[in-house]
Amino acid sequence: MRKVLENKIIQETFLLVFSFILFTLNDWILILSWKGFFMGVIYFLILYIHAQVNRFFLLPLLLKKNKAILYALSSIAILLVFALVLKEITENFIYKNCFLYKSIAQKTFHYQLGVLLGSLICILGSIQFIEFYRFQRLKTRRELLSNQTQLSNLKKQLNPHFLFNTLNTIHGISLKFPERTSELIIKVSQLLRYQMESSDREFVSIDDEIDFISSYIELERERLGYRTKIDFDFQREEGIKYQIAPMLLITFVENAFKHGTCSIEDCYVAISIRIEQGNLYLHVRNSVPVKKRNVFSAKIGLENTIARLKLLYPNRYQLNTNASKEEFEVSLVINL
């Protein structure tokens, strides 16, 4: 039953079959030929198409744009047009070959109007019930995942290994360049503050998220020094403010530094983020050091992020990974 309610294809098929069975429930005994059966199918499909036209073209006026009067007037107009068409089709074609014809009253305009209205209410009611069920399940899963993410963030905050190395870096730099100590401490505090403040929010400004990533990369640059070549590029559309789920992109960036750098080898990390026409493009490349090739996994640390992508951006993202012996590459596209 869960698959029926969560899979849209199965849901639509189930709704179509269920509506047809309900429509013909009292008339099965009157079906005397395949021709009559197919006439009944045609009659039902007209009713179903009318309901779907209302669902996809008119209902959004009420649910998304809150234009109740326009929705009501449009629904009445479409209803009258379908009733007129259905009256002509049934009188001249369907009722001559179908078990549905029982009395002269069925050939009237107001009869077809009533049938269309009744089928519209039944079909839209069933659809809205299923959509409400699916929405509630999705909302519950989002809240659960959000709670798990918050708990995870509060428990570990930044990667302890990264934070430990960063503090050592600050200590080492302070001995040679004491004037830079306060700057580095401020960057670390900003990272911690952002993680704590954004953990209970579903979406944050894309600028805030990029600032966080940039500060993280700068600290990694200080920690790794000359051993790792680090490239970071960010491009965006001007004048448009986008939002994104917090701490979503940092996992891919952190993984690149965690698994792509080494203290005794020359390594590289290249990160590119671009926002264009409402889409965010993230591209991350990192070397795979020799000492880590036997233990490196493309899935490390990504499970929670992939789950968040599926819930927050269903059918609105593409994630591709490409791993070779020497390099690991991630490409992510999100429709914001």
Side-chain angles (χ1 to χ4, degrees), residues 233-245:
D233 178 61
F234 172 62
Q235 302 177 22
R236 61 160 300 163
E237 295 174 308
E238 296 296 333
I240 303 178
K241 296 182 179 180
Y242 292 105
Q243 289 192 322
I244 191 171

Side-chain angles (χ1 to χ4, degrees), residues 34 69 110 193 226 305:
W34 282 107
I69 297 178
H110 64 269
R193 183 186 303 276
Y226 68 91
T305 300

Side-chain angles (χ1 to χ4, degrees), residues 1-19 48 52 55-56 123-135:
M1 188 63 179
R2 181 182 300 177
K3 290 183 178 180
V4 172
L5 293 173
E6 293 186 352
N7 186 295
K8 287 191 175 182
I9 297 179
I10 297 179
Q11 171 188 320
E12 294 296 332
T13 304
F14 173 81
L15 180 63
L16 179 64
V17 174
F18 174 77
S19 300
Y48 191 80
Q52 294 299 330
R55 172 190 178 186
F56 288 108
I123 294 175
L124 285 188
S126 301
I127 291 172
Q128 291 306 309
F129 172 79
I130 295 176
E131 289 293 336
F132 178 77
Y133 176 86
R134 295 178 68 249
F135 172 79

Side-chain angles (χ1 to χ4, degrees), residues 102-126:
K102 300 176 183 177
S103 68
I104 191 67
Q106 290 179 262
K107 292 186 177 182
T108 61
F109 175 81
H110 64 269
Y111 177 86
Q112 302 303 334
L113 190 69
V115 173
L116 281 166
L117 184 59
S119 62
L120 175 65
I121 294 174
C122 292
I123 294 175
L124 285 188
S126 301

Side-chain angles (χ1 to χ4, degrees), residues 59-96:
L59 199 58
L61 294 175
L62 177 64
L63 300 180
K64 296 182 179 180
K65 298 184 178 181
N66 199 28
K67 297 182 178 181
I69 297 178
L70 180 59
Y71 169 74
L73 293 176
S74 301
S75 296
I76 292 173
I78 294 296
L79 181 63
L80 294 175
V81 171
F82 267 82
L84 182 61
V85 172
L86 190 59
K87 176 183 179 298
E88 294 298 320
I89 293 178
T90 53
E91 185 176 355
N92 297 309
F93 182 63
I94 294 181
Y95 282 164
K96 293 181 179 181

